[in-house]
Amino acid sequence: MTQHTPAHKGRGALSNPGCRYDAQAHEAFDDGWAVDEELPVLRTTVMVDATRSIITRNDSPDVPFSQSINPYRGCEHGCVYCFARPSHAYLGLSPGLDFETKILIKPKAADLLRQELQKSSYRCATIAMGTNTDPYQPLEKQQGITRAILQVLQEYHHPVSIVTKSALIERDMDLLAALAKENLAQVMISITTLDRQLARWMEPRAAAPQRRLETVRRLNAAGIPTGVLVAPIIPVLNEAEIETILQQCAQASAVSAAYVLLRLPLEVAPLFEEWLQQRYPLKAKHILSHVRDMRGGKLYESNFGERMQGTGNYAAILRQRFDMACQRFGYRAREEARGDLNTAIFCPPGKQPTQLALF
């Protein structure tokens, strides 16, 4: 019999286990007084991240960008499967409920970005946002850090690529449309499922699936190239929706499509397994069995070239289904027509007068 774990309303994780750096480990104990109703609402605590740099660089062959910006650490969306949860351990916080309730903000992000772009050693390359935590999570509505970053990028004619689950991005259509006119902006809206109940349990504070579809439509109508990221694909749980999601996003004028297989690094695996046992106890064993089939017998494999799409027959079938659906709905041709973002017109404003003075 599966033990019932009560849930905090509006939160994805069911527990707050210690991180891998803790000197002591804690284990929950069932004393028989099971609680059937939801626990009280957990409020979000906001802290300031005193970072001195804002651009993060990587050389991973699995991602199409070499530098990124994350305005926030932690994410209120509370996606239970989020591969970024283990990053909270570096702060001495739990990858569980702490990750979605204790958020660090970077209020000086725009100033730091301006300083880095002004350096003579800086070489322009697309900056990706939304690669670790969502730049349009609920806190952004009050903080405006992402918008301030976009204002700097527009000022410097710098390309940006954004991934989000939030309709809040529509607030910044003015900036994104201006950037897009110079081929400096592209957006991917992440849609995991069209099932509202599944989305509510799995991504409790993200925009509803149908609202995200509308965001795809509105951004494209505003001239901002916007595609769909079907992520993560979870065997048995949402894989049946691949074709439907791609079809409905194509009808919303999505220009490109990509997907990522479920990733369960470090503390994410036990958190996700706990969630499965609570929400889908009859499917949990089947789902995890397929995950292991695509991860070499483990719940996660971190090898480059394999971690995003997995290996084995089941992963190959998912890949074929996705590719065939993209071809059927026209994504491939649209992707080829879109091209790369423009890095040739990057120019820090302060340098323009110097260049003109030569004449």
Side-chain angles (χ1 to χ4, degrees):
M1 180 176 176
T2 302
Q3 178 181 331
H4 177 83
T5 305
H8 290 275
K9 186 176 181 180
R11 300 300 181 182
L14 298 178
S15 61
N16 206 42
C19 70
R20 57 192 179 279
Y21 301 117
D22 285 347
Q24 296 179 324
H26 303 274
E27 184 176 344
F29 174 72
D30 181 10
D31 60 2
W33 293 95
V35 180
D36 293 328
E37 65 273 8
E38 291 180 333
L39 296 174
V41 174
L42 278 180
R43 303 298 178 187
T44 299
T45 300
V46 179
M47 299 170 281
V48 174
D49 187 331
T51 182
R52 289 189 244 179
S53 63
I54 196 64
I55 299 177
T56 300
R57 292 176 173 81
N58 79 88
D59 56 1
S60 169
D62 287 334
V63 293
F65 59 86
S66 60
Q67 51 186 18
S68 60
I69 291 177
N70 291 291
Y72 303 93
R73 301 182 72 174
C75 187
E76 273 194 293
H77 281 164
C79 303
V80 69
Y81 53 74
C82 183
F83 69 87
R85 284 181 176 273
S87 63
H88 244 41
Y90 298 121
L91 306 172
L93 299 172
S94 171
L97 289 167
D98 280 354
F99 179 78
E100 49 195 285
T101 61
K102 296 182 179 179
I103 313 298
L104 278 76
I105 64 174
K106 302 177 182 180
K108 296 182 179 180
D111 291 336
L112 291 171
L113 176 60
R114 185 174 279 106
Q115 291 171 20
E116 293 191 43
L117 297 184
Q118 287 280 5
K119 292 179 180 178
S120 59
S121 59
Y122 181 77
R123 297 294 176 265
C124 182
T126 298
I127 287 177
M129 298 181 70
T131 59
N132 200 49
T133 58
D134 201 311
Y136 286 102
Q137 60 179 284
L139 276 176
E140 170 62 18
K141 189 173 183 179
Q142 291 78 39
Q143 299 295 329
I145 300 172
T146 297
R147 182 170 178 85
I149 290 171
L150 290 179
Q151 289 170 331
V152 173
L153 294 176
Q154 183 190 17
E155 180 184 351
Y156 284 56
H157 302 280
H158 195 292
V160 61
S161 177
I162 299 174
V163 177
T164 182
K165 290 183 173 73
S166 176
L168 181 58
I169 191 173
E170 294 176 14
R171 178 201 64 185
D172 295 340
M173 284 198 298
D174 58 334
L175 295 173
L176 291 169
L179 286 162
K181 284 182 179 179
E182 297 182 304
N183 191 27
L184 294 173
Q186 63 184 25
V187 175
M188 295 290 277
I189 300 297
S190 177
I191 300 180
T192 314
T193 178
L194 298 176
D195 182 329
R196 294 176 69 91
Q197 181 60 71
L198 175 56
R200 187 177 295 113
W201 282 345
M202 192 162 56
E203 309 162 332
R205 296 199 176 194
Q210 289 70 27
R211 185 65 183 85
R212 288 181 236 178
L213 279 172
E214 182 60 26
T215 296
V216 173
R217 182 177 291 105
R218 292 181 181 181
L219 292 180
N220 277 302
I224 304 161
T226 303
V228 57
L229 178 63
V230 186
I233 292 179
I234 305 172
V236 180
L237 199 58
N238 72 342
E239 63 161 279
E241 299 185 70
I242 291 174
E243 291 81 2
T244 304
I245 292 172
L246 290 174
Q247 181 181 25
Q248 292 199 24
C249 286
Q251 292 170 354
S253 304
V255 298
S256 60
Y259 80 94
V260 178
L261 194 65
L262 176 69
R263 298 172 58 190
L264 300 174
L266 301 169
E267 293 95 341
V268 185
L271 285 166
F272 184 73
E273 187 169 2
E274 177 185 43
W275 179 87
L276 272 182
Q277 294 292 350
Q278 168 70 14
R279 299 300 192 185
Y280 297 94
L282 299 181
K283 295 181 179 181
K285 185 177 180 180
H286 192 196
I287 291 169
L288 294 174
S289 174
H290 280 306
V291 171
R292 290 187 175 93
D293 284 345
M294 295 185 287
R295 299 296 188 188
K298 299 178 288 186
L299 285 179
Y300 186 58
E301 177 55 67
S302 61
N303 291 340
F304 289 142
E306 299 177 359
R307 57 182 182 160
M308 297 300 197
Q309 298 187 357
T311 58
N313 293 335
Y314 203 87
I317 291 172
L318 292 179
R319 186 160 50 249
Q320 290 171 7
R321 283 177 54 195
F322 190 90
D323 290 344
M324 290 175 65
C326 283
Q327 192 169 17
R328 186 190 322 159
F329 300 123
Y331 287 104
R332 191 180 302 277
R334 292 173 185 171
E335 176 70 14
E336 291 171 355
R338 185 163 56 88
D340 296 327
L341 294 180
N342 188 2
T343 59
I345 60 174
F346 166 72
C347 186
K351 293 186 178 180
Q352 290 177 355
T354 303
Q355 292 175 339
L356 292 173
L358 294 174
F359 301 93

